Amino acid sequence: MTAVLTAPQQATRRRRTLVVLGVLTLAVVAAFLTVDVTGSWDYALQQRGRRLAAMAVVAVAVAVSTVLFQTVTNNRVLTPEIMGFDRLFVLIQTVGVFFLGAATVTTTDPRLRFAVEVVVLIGFGAVLYRSLFGRTERDVYVLVLLGVVLGSTFTSLTLLVSRLIDPNEFLTLQDLLFASFNSVDRQMLALSAVVVALVTAGVWRLLPGLDVVALGRDTAVGLGVEHRRVVDRALLAVAVLVAVATALVGPITFLGLLVANLARQLLGTHRHAWVLPGAGLLALLALAGGQLVLEQVFGFNSSLSIVVNFVGGIVFIALLIREPRQ
């Protein structure tokens, strides 16, 4: 028989789990900053530190947005990307190269490009979420259907426009579409960090309400929680976080799905005060550790987003198979 842990024992076990995750993350971060450094240490630490900061910003944004989205939809398989954020980002880049040319896009002020991408993505997410949720009890099914339709539409438009692009410019476009931490602008990184920090702080104030929302709409309303208000604020936070992370480094589709579900498994709870820090640490561990392995083992022969999406895709399939059984 399995012993049932008391509430204090469970809390102690979760603290130990977070401590272990924190130690592992610090070890991987230290290795990422110091392993195989040649030449000037100041230059190497400066460059790697900037990439690490970008990973930390993206890790927090992706982890928090995915956990919130799964809470609101009451589904552990869905992620914000189901609405087509990544495909819309690809479409924006493709249309920009087609109409302006690769040279113009790549030489445009990065801050201007970042602002345009963030505004478009936030506007798309905010309008869609606000108009979709709260109307019926079948919102999640409409969400999945609409996500498939929008994703297919964006993909079709991207394929159409990409066929009209000059082959030489298409090669430049491909470089813009893969998540990259190697060419992040300092000012964009600082702005992204501030936005993510402010949004995360605002989300932290919603945690009691989100814990109740996770129990289901009827239960939340019965317990006196303003379900629509909490959901609207959570979805707005999701739209901002996903937009900032995608505009900063590009799409990483399955990272959030991977870390959110793994955090719940390791911590044995659905309470957001535990899951959010765990998911954030796991996301940073995956990004820094994955980049370290790619650099030291594979010699940059692959993209980090490809590896993360491959592993996350396997987890996604496993969740789809297991969900009906549960």
Side-chain angles (χ1 to χ4, degrees):
M1 296 179 61
T2 302
V4 178
L5 299 179
T6 63
Q9 290 174 328
Q10 291 176 347
T12 300
R13 189 184 71 84
R14 290 165 189 155
R15 290 192 192 95
R16 290 175 180 172
T17 302
L18 287 179
V19 170
V20 171
L21 286 177
V23 171
L24 287 175
T25 303
L26 287 176
V28 170
V29 165
F32 177 79
L33 291 174
T34 58
V35 168
D36 198 27
V37 173
T38 58
S40 173
W41 274 86
D42 290 339
Y43 176 78
L45 291 177
Q46 183 179 16
Q47 294 299 315
R48 295 190 183 190
R50 181 169 52 120
R51 291 160 57 197
L52 181 63
M55 292 178 189
V57 171
V58 172
V60 173
V62 170
V64 173
S65 62
T66 303
V67 172
L68 292 185
F69 191 79
Q70 291 181 345
T71 296
V72 169
T73 59
N74 196 24
N75 190 293
R76 300 297 175 254
V77 176
L78 297 181
T79 65
E81 285 74 17
I82 192 68
M83 297 309 303
F85 275 99
D86 53 342
R87 295 182 179 93
L88 179 57
F89 174 82
V90 171
L91 179 60
I92 293 172
Q93 302 297 323
T94 305
V95 171
V97 171
F98 176 73
F99 285 104
L100 302 177
T104 302
V105 172
T106 54
T107 57
T108 301
D109 189 341
R111 291 168 293 181
L112 177 60
R113 286 175 49 200
F114 178 77
V116 171
E117 293 163 0
V118 168
V119 168
V120 172
L121 292 173
I122 290 178
F124 166 74
V127 171
L128 197 59
Y129 291 156
R130 185 65 179 84
S131 62
L132 182 62
F133 275 89
R135 300 181 309 172
T136 69
E137 295 180 356
R138 300 176 62 86
D139 288 338
V140 66
Y141 303 107
V142 178
L143 176 69
V144 173
L145 178 60
L146 188 58
V148 172
V149 172
L150 288 176
S152 300
T153 301
F154 294 152
T155 300
S156 299
L157 291 174
T158 300
L159 290 174
L160 175 63
V161 176
S162 62
R163 291 180 182 275
L164 304 176
I165 295 177
D166 180 86
N168 294 325
E169 294 191 335
F170 184 77
L171 293 176
T172 303
L173 173 63
Q174 293 299 301
D175 294 334
L176 297 174
L177 300 182
F178 287 101
S180 175
F181 297 93
N182 298 323
S183 57
V184 177
D185 183 82
R186 292 177 181 273
Q187 294 180 334
M188 291 193 306
L189 176 58
L191 177 60
S192 300
V194 171
V195 172
V196 170
L198 291 176
V199 173
T200 303
V203 166
W204 207 259
R205 299 177 60 184
L206 294 176
L207 294 192
L210 288 169
D211 287 339
V212 180
V213 168
L215 300 175
R217 179 176 179 173
D218 294 338
T219 303
V221 173
L223 292 175
V225 173
E226 297 182 55
H227 184 271
R228 184 58 187 265
R229 181 181 66 86
V230 174
V231 167
D232 284 347
R233 293 186 178 183
L235 289 176
L236 179 60
V238 169
V240 174
L241 292 173
V242 173
V244 170
T246 305
L248 183 64
V249 300
I252 306 180
T253 305
F254 287 112
L255 177 63
L257 177 75
L258 184 64
V259 300
N261 285 281
L262 187 56
R264 292 190 184 94
Q265 291 292 327
L266 291 177
L267 294 168
T269 182
H270 296 281
R271 291 190 59 190
H272 293 78
W274 296 103
V275 174
L276 289 178
L281 288 172
L282 285 169
L284 181 55
L285 182 62
L287 290 176
Q291 190 67 40
L292 181 65
V293 171
L294 283 178
E295 293 178 4
Q296 303 302 324
V297 178
F298 298 103
F300 285 105
N301 289 329
S302 182
S303 171
L304 178 59
S305 61
I306 294 176
V307 177
V308 171
N309 290 339
F310 174 75
V311 177
I314 295 176
V315 174
F316 178 70
I317 294 173
L319 289 172
L320 287 178
I321 294 174
R322 194 180 68 173
E323 193 77 11
R325 298 177 180 176
Q326 294 180 338

